Amino acid sequence: MRFRATLAESGCDVVQGFLYAPALPPVAFERWLIEHCAEQARAMLGRLDVTPADRDVVKRSA
């Protein structure tokens, strides 16, 4: 799908629609959104060059 590739090239990492999956009930969507955001945050922290002591600071400030 060229459209999805274009979105990915633009930095869009989330798509929706019945082409991919049926709609989620609101509570399930909220849970998915929270988990997705947490996964993105873990990935971003993983890309940082952070020492173990710095990781504790991040955990306390979050």
Side-chain angles (χ1 to χ4, degrees), residues 6-59:
T6 301
L7 289 174
E9 290 168 5
S10 300
C12 180
D13 65 342
V14 178
V15 295
Q16 65 149 7
F18 283 101
L19 181 61
Y20 302 103
L24 293 174
V27 172
F29 174 74
E30 289 173 3
R31 181 178 188 88
W32 174 87
L33 184 59
I34 290 167
E35 290 173 356
H36 176 74
C37 291
E39 182 180 318
Q40 294 298 310
R42 282 190 297 273
M44 290 172 69
L45 286 172
R47 288 191 292 267
L48 296 175
D49 186 21
V50 178
T51 62
D54 292 339
R55 287 187 187 274
D56 292 338
V57 172
V58 170
K59 287 179 183 176

